[in-house]
Amino acid sequence: MNNTHRAFWKKYIAKAKLDLSIAAYTKVPTTWQDCDYISEFNKFYFVTEGEGFVKIRDREYYPQPGELYLLPAGIKQSYGTISQDTFGKYWCHFTAKIGELHLFNVVQTPACIKVKDPDELRKKFEQLIYYSHSDELTSEFRVNSILIDFIAGFIEQSGSVRLNLASEPAFEKMNKVLKYIEDNLARNISVDELARIAHFHPNYFINIFKHVTGYPPIQYVNRMRSEKAKNLLIMTELNVSQIADSVGMELSYFSRMFREHTGLSPTAYREMIPRTTV
């Protein structure tokens, strides 16, 4: 995945809409169990004591104190106790969706991480629990901020993370379209042309494309042009006119488009960002 494509997906997953349903600390009873069900929400389990198991898809895990587990929405899972020494755990249930897609169906991570600073995570869970019950006007901002921090930290510490661009049938077709756009930014790209690649009627294609990417096709193409232009401004000695040519745009339109996406002219952007030549 090149820098232009990666920049888009970074922004794409950041569009996830988060909604916390519950957060708590529980010393689970020996009756704590459920088998082979599919949850509509994600779960974080931060184990502080005891023992038990969780099963995600067809793999069983036996969480240890100091580990943080993610049980993704839409995935078959089970959990239960294995002795009288049951889990003590901080936990939360939340949704994280990009459009109609579950975030962790698109971003696939390992099931758990070993927490670097358990005391700090414990404090954050206490804050999450507090703000989830608070009547303060800003409490939802605080809740979302903590959830974002949990998700970002989990992804960063997971080590092995991949984008599952075939998480639904439309993604498989759209991925071909996105690759075509990426390879042809210097050309005049039409909606009809992209629809033919996906084998969809143009009107249906526009709806599916927006569902997958969050943008209408031409708006997405221009965003990719802007991302490529930013890389060229930082990493090459090409002048602005040459960069406009390389993304298939007339200079005046390119400058206007670039300003709309960044708030800066191409020249101002180059002057503000340290340049890296390769």
Side-chain angles (χ1 to χ4, degrees), residues 17 42 61 72-73 82 113 123 141 155 157 174 198 202 205 238 242 249:
K17 179 176 174 57
N42 309 287
Y61 302 87
I82 58 176
I113 60 171
K123 290 176 184 177
F141 288 127
I155 291 173
Q157 294 181 51
M174 287 302 107
F205 169 77
L238 295 174
Q242 290 171 318
M249 303 178 78

Short mmCIF file of all heavy atoms in Angstrom, two decimals, residues 17 42 61 72-73 82 113 123 141 155 157 174 198 202 205 238 242 249:
data_model
loop_
_atom_site.label_atom_id
_atom_site.label_comp_id
_atom_site.label_asym_id
_atom_site.label_seq_id
_atom_site.Cartn_x
_atom_site.Cartn_y
_atom_site.Cartn_z
N LYS A 17 -17.85 5.90 13.89
CA LYS A 17 -18.76 6.49 14.87
C LYS A 17 -18.82 5.55 16.07
O LYS A 17 -19.16 4.38 15.94
CB LYS A 17 -20.14 6.68 14.27
CG LYS A 17 -21.16 7.28 15.23
CD LYS A 17 -22.48 7.53 14.53
CE LYS A 17 -23.55 7.99 15.52
NZ LYS A 17 -23.15 9.20 16.25
N ASN A 42 -18.91 -4.47 20.19
CA ASN A 42 -17.56 -4.86 20.55
C ASN A 42 -17.42 -4.88 22.07
O ASN A 42 -18.13 -4.17 22.78
CB ASN A 42 -16.54 -3.87 19.98
CG ASN A 42 -16.72 -3.61 18.51
OD1 ASN A 42 -16.42 -4.45 17.68
ND2 ASN A 42 -17.24 -2.44 18.17
N TYR A 61 -9.00 -18.79 24.28
CA TYR A 61 -7.94 -18.06 24.97
C TYR A 61 -8.20 -18.14 26.47
O TYR A 61 -9.36 -18.21 26.91
CB TYR A 61 -7.93 -16.59 24.54
CG TYR A 61 -7.75 -16.36 23.06
CD1 TYR A 61 -8.84 -16.34 22.20
CD2 TYR A 61 -6.49 -16.13 22.52
CE1 TYR A 61 -8.68 -16.12 20.84
CE2 TYR A 61 -6.31 -15.90 21.16
CZ TYR A 61 -7.43 -15.90 20.32
OH TYR A 61 -7.27 -15.67 18.97
N PRO A 72 -14.66 -8.70 18.91
CA PRO A 72 -15.29 -7.83 17.91
C PRO A 72 -16.76 -8.15 17.67
O PRO A 72 -17.20 -9.30 17.79
CB PRO A 72 -14.47 -8.10 16.64
CG PRO A 72 -13.27 -8.85 17.07
CD PRO A 72 -13.66 -9.58 18.30
N ALA A 73 -17.51 -7.14 17.30
CA ALA A 73 -18.90 -7.32 16.90
C ALA A 73 -18.98 -8.16 15.64
O ALA A 73 -18.08 -8.16 14.80
CB ALA A 73 -19.55 -5.96 16.66
N ILE A 82 -13.71 -21.30 34.67
CA ILE A 82 -13.08 -22.63 34.71
C ILE A 82 -12.75 -23.06 36.13
O ILE A 82 -12.24 -24.16 36.35
CB ILE A 82 -11.81 -22.68 33.83
CG1 ILE A 82 -10.80 -21.63 34.27
CG2 ILE A 82 -12.16 -22.49 32.36
CD1 ILE A 82 -9.47 -21.70 33.51
N ILE A 113 -3.67 -7.91 23.76
CA ILE A 113 -2.35 -7.31 23.93
C ILE A 113 -1.96 -7.42 25.40
O ILE A 113 -2.83 -7.49 26.28
CB ILE A 113 -2.29 -5.83 23.49
CG1 ILE A 113 -3.26 -4.99 24.31
CG2 ILE A 113 -2.55 -5.69 22.01
CD1 ILE A 113 -3.10 -3.48 24.09
N LYS A 123 -6.82 3.28 35.54
CA LYS A 123 -7.30 4.63 35.77
C LYS A 123 -8.23 5.10 34.64
O LYS A 123 -9.25 5.74 34.88
CB LYS A 123 -6.12 5.60 35.90
CG LYS A 123 -5.30 5.43 37.17
CD LYS A 123 -4.10 6.37 37.17
CE LYS A 123 -3.22 6.16 38.38
NZ LYS A 123 -2.00 7.02 38.34
N PHE A 141 -18.11 13.74 25.33
CA PHE A 141 -16.79 14.01 24.75
C PHE A 141 -15.73 13.18 25.46
O PHE A 141 -14.84 12.59 24.83
CB PHE A 141 -16.43 15.49 24.87
CG PHE A 141 -17.20 16.39 23.97
CD1 PHE A 141 -17.89 17.49 24.48
CD2 PHE A 141 -17.23 16.20 22.60
CE1 PHE A 141 -18.60 18.34 23.66
CE2 PHE A 141 -17.94 17.05 21.77
CZ PHE A 141 -18.62 18.12 22.30
N ILE A 155 -4.67 -0.95 18.71
CA ILE A 155 -4.16 -1.15 17.35
C ILE A 155 -2.65 -0.97 17.32
O ILE A 155 -1.91 -1.76 16.71
CB ILE A 155 -4.85 -0.19 16.37
CG1 ILE A 155 -6.33 -0.59 16.20
CG2 ILE A 155 -4.15 -0.20 15.01
CD1 ILE A 155 -7.14 0.39 15.38
N GLN A 157 -0.43 -1.34 19.68
CA GLN A 157 0.33 -2.36 20.41
C GLN A 157 0.09 -3.77 19.86
O GLN A 157 0.73 -4.72 20.31
CB GLN A 157 -0.03 -2.32 21.89
CG GLN A 157 0.41 -1.05 22.59
CD GLN A 157 0.06 -1.04 24.07
OE1 GLN A 157 0.37 -1.98 24.80
NE2 GLN A 157 -0.59 0.02 24.51
N MET A 174 -14.87 -2.87 -5.08
CA MET A 174 -14.40 -1.50 -4.90
C MET A 174 -12.89 -1.43 -4.79
O MET A 174 -12.27 -0.45 -5.19
CB MET A 174 -15.04 -0.87 -3.66
CG MET A 174 -16.50 -0.52 -3.81
SD MET A 174 -16.86 0.62 -5.18
CE MET A 174 -17.61 -0.53 -6.33
N ALA A 198 -16.36 -2.01 -12.01
CA ALA A 198 -17.07 -2.74 -10.95
C ALA A 198 -18.24 -3.55 -11.47
O ALA A 198 -18.87 -4.28 -10.71
CB ALA A 198 -17.55 -1.75 -9.89
N PRO A 202 -24.06 2.94 -13.32
CA PRO A 202 -23.47 4.13 -12.70
C PRO A 202 -24.20 4.64 -11.47
O PRO A 202 -23.56 4.99 -10.47
CB PRO A 202 -23.48 5.16 -13.83
CG PRO A 202 -23.37 4.34 -15.07
CD PRO A 202 -24.16 3.08 -14.79
N PHE A 205 -23.56 2.24 -8.72
CA PHE A 205 -22.15 2.33 -8.38
C PHE A 205 -21.87 3.50 -7.45
O PHE A 205 -21.13 3.38 -6.47
CB PHE A 205 -21.30 2.47 -9.65
CG PHE A 205 -19.87 2.83 -9.38
CD1 PHE A 205 -18.97 1.88 -8.94
CD2 PHE A 205 -19.43 4.15 -9.55
CE1 PHE A 205 -17.65 2.22 -8.67
CE2 PHE A 205 -18.12 4.49 -9.29
CZ PHE A 205 -17.23 3.52 -8.85
N LEU A 238 9.72 18.92 -7.78
CA LEU A 238 8.82 19.34 -8.84
C LEU A 238 8.14 20.64 -8.47
O LEU A 238 7.76 20.87 -7.31
CB LEU A 238 7.75 18.26 -9.08
CG LEU A 238 8.22 16.90 -9.62
CD1 LEU A 238 7.06 15.93 -9.65
CD2 LEU A 238 8.83 17.07 -11.00
N GLN A 242 4.15 21.32 -12.45
CA GLN A 242 4.46 19.93 -12.77
C GLN A 242 3.64 18.96 -11.92
O GLN A 242 3.19 17.92 -12.40
CB GLN A 242 5.96 19.67 -12.57
CG GLN A 242 6.86 20.36 -13.59
CD GLN A 242 8.33 20.26 -13.23
OE1 GLN A 242 8.70 20.43 -12.06
NE2 GLN A 242 9.16 19.98 -14.22
N MET A 249 -4.56 17.67 -13.63
CA MET A 249 -5.41 18.84 -13.41
C MET A 249 -4.75 20.09 -13.95
O MET A 249 -3.52 20.22 -13.93
CB MET A 249 -5.71 19.01 -11.91
CG MET A 249 -6.37 17.81 -11.27
SD MET A 249 -6.65 18.02 -9.49
CE MET A 249 -8.12 19.06 -9.56
#
